[in-house]
Amino acid sequence: MDNVSKRLLQASYALALTAAVATSAQAQSTRKDLQTGNKLFNQENYRASIPYYERVIAKDPNNAQALFRAGVAYLSFDKEKASDYIYKAQKLKPKVSKDVEYWLGRVDHLNYNFDEAITHYQAYNATLKKKNDTRREEVAQLIQHSKNAKILFNAPKDIFVKNLGPTVNTQYSEHSPVISSDDKTLIFTTRANPTDIPGLDSKARNKTAADGEYFEGIVETHRIDADNWEKPRSLSAALNSKGHDASDQLFDNDTKLLMYRSDEDGDVFVASKQAGGDWGNPVKLNSNINSKQYEGDAYITPDGLTLYFSTSRYSEDGNLDLYYSTRPAGGDWGPAKSLGSTINTKYDEDSPYMSRDGKTLYFSSRGHNTMGDYDIFKSQYDSIGHKWGRPENMGYPINTPDADSYYRLAPDGTYAYLSSYRIGGYGEKDIYTISYIKNINIKGSVFSKRDSTQAIPGVELVFNGTQADKTAISFRDVTKPDGTYQVKVLSARTYQVAVNKDGKNIETQEFAVPISTNDSTSITKNFYVDYIDTTALAASRFGKIYFDTDKYKLRPESIKTLNATAAILKANTGLNISIEGNCDSRNTDEYNMVLGQNRADAAKNYLVKQGVASARLTTVSYGERKPAAPNDSPENMQLNRRDEFKVVLKEGEKMPVIQPAASTTTTSSSTTSSSTVAAPGAPLPGKSKVRLADGTKVKTKVDESSDKVKVKTKGAAGEKSKTISKDGELESKAKDASGEKAKVKTSN
């Protein structure tokens, strides 16, 4: 072996030795991190264990034990990551833990995979060998939780849940919201790092509790606006002790605070504001309320005479039940009494809260038909039977598969605060507001895309959507004569808006309606559709005619309008119209439908006699169903007794350009000039001759010294008419091509 080879071999040995030493050191470091993580995990100090497990996973991504225990530790902080880790651990090592099926059930339940959770719970139950294993009861309850959750999740309420945001909520637990009577100050409990909250930091509070987290402290924040809060600060040094302190309720015009303190496993205290505005030292309630067992949440009724509270004092297994105590005015609290088996179960009941009228009790329970852990329930008081009614689960999304509690109504009762572990939060338990989704007023107009300034009347808008539970809902309105509409719809969803005209669908548009938590919100939405409003176009050329009450006889002024209409139709031989008969609301709908038809027929018959082909005219009655104005005065009712004329287009046909009634050279007795004659309009004095597009000849004579007008027509097929109008009186004679004659005479 040459020297070069020897040197290379020696270098290889050195490299291998260095790698072995490094690998051994890394393995030793990994084992140490795993041991430290396991130690903290076994102490239920889950938050502190996570960094050690993460270091192990970073070095050894397939370490099943680290993945499994990190997943369990993450359950309270990141449910989705917890699921990923536990599933990966089980895939790497199916028997990573004898309880792995239990934890797979837990993460699936918390991530809304209820069927999968039930399957895992059943698999775990099969591993329990002893029939009397106490874990069987817990598993049976967990399976029932998943069944309850599936039902409630699939029947959600129309409720808007909103996180108070990162100024209030942290990666730690925030709970027990207490709102001032003016809804401007929020007092709550946090387990955040005391150094992050002004006034809360002290040497006494720098230590952590047995679970490795910071002690609970009472803080306050003030509202900036509807969506924002100031940075929280300690409520008072007098209220925050070395241990846990939590807020329960403000009462007596916000001058007193009911609170919890971790003395003797937990007791209820009351603190009062001092003359300078600070809080005095809390005073413990008497032994009828507090005991050596746990007493936590409490609530005093507005009259100050009844106290509801949770206690484990009377429970054999240490579970919480709800009790109440009364006192005379100015007296102390009397013996506690149970709210009874209707409210209390063999599981925990906590966080009582009463409506202002004393008829509705809100509380949290791990029993009844909970979705999992604590759910919020309400019970109505039966004043006749003097008992509380069966508790009702307030449903999803108020409740979730994890813990939901501390339900507190805002002062005006329009929304509520609660504390909840749920997906999408900032860490552990967060404070949320919940508001029932309300109606929102949508108003606007419908315009033609081709003429965006022209609003279209008579358009039906149908807003089709669904409620939170997928039940179909529909809201409808029809645009008014000015093309406007107004409709109230349930907010916070997307609607398919069907735009219909004359019973036919023009198009369907999608419209997302924003959230509204009060019924006074109004927004404007205009619709632009591929439609030509023939009614509006015709209205600029065809005048309306009006009728006397309960009559369909043509008025003298209506004859003039109809003559002008006939002239336009003769100048536009390809134009067809619909005559719409309308009524006021004086009679029944059935009667008015007949009357409206008679009015439309009267106009049609006259136009036919003026030489307009019957096939070009259709009639329809709307009775009182399309008012032009409210039927609340004689003047408005007159506006509703009318005929309107609308151009009728064939399917796919565009609106034609309507030619004026006449365009010719006008010969006057005194002068001759070229001018355009448009109808309807006031005729000029003198004589004129016109030949229309269909060959009809029209002669007109207008006296200069009076309003006498004489009009003669002669059609290409031999039809003739003669009309004389003077001083408001009218006389008209006509003969059609078949020789049929008609005569109309009116007097002023």
Side-chain angles (χ1 to χ4, degrees), residues 686-700:
K687 296 180 180 180
S688 66
K689 295 181 180 180
V690 178
R691 180 183 291 274
L692 302 180
D694 63 352
T696 301
K697 297 178 181 179
V698 181
K699 293 182 179 180
T700 304

Side-chain angles (χ1 to χ4, degrees), residues 240-271:
N240 289 308
S241 66
K242 296 180 181 180
H244 292 298
D245 303 282
S247 48
D248 281 345
Q249 178 195 4
L250 280 171
F251 64 104
D252 275 3
N253 296 319
D254 297 348
T255 62
K256 294 181 180 179
L257 177 69
L258 206 60
M259 59 175 287
Y260 160 87
R261 179 164 280 181
S262 55
D263 288 14
E264 295 187 298
D265 201 31
D267 282 336
V268 180
F269 288 70
V270 63

Side-chain angles (χ1 to χ4, degrees), residues 1 21 102 141 157 193 218 233 237 243 255 296 323 406 425 428 456 459 476 534 546 595 643 663 671 718 737:
M1 184 179 295
V21 171
Y102 169 88
Q141 185 193 23
K157 309 291 185 182
N193 190 332
I218 303 175
R233 58 179 299 108
T255 62
Y323 277 71
Y406 305 107
E428 291 188 63
I456 310 172
V459 176
R476 172 187 176 275
T534 56
Y546 297 91
L595 180 58
D643 277 352
S663 179
T671 183

Side-chain angles (χ1 to χ4, degrees), residues 550 552 581-599 620-625:
D550 203 30
Y552 55 91
N582 297 271
C583 308
D584 61 31
S585 60
R586 293 175 195 264
N587 217 313
T588 65
D589 182 58
E590 293 79 9
Y591 181 89
N592 285 332
M593 288 298 289
V594 175
L595 180 58
Q597 187 62 51
N598 287 337
R599 287 172 174 172
V620 62
S621 172
Y622 288 106
E624 62 187 72
R625 300 177 185 180

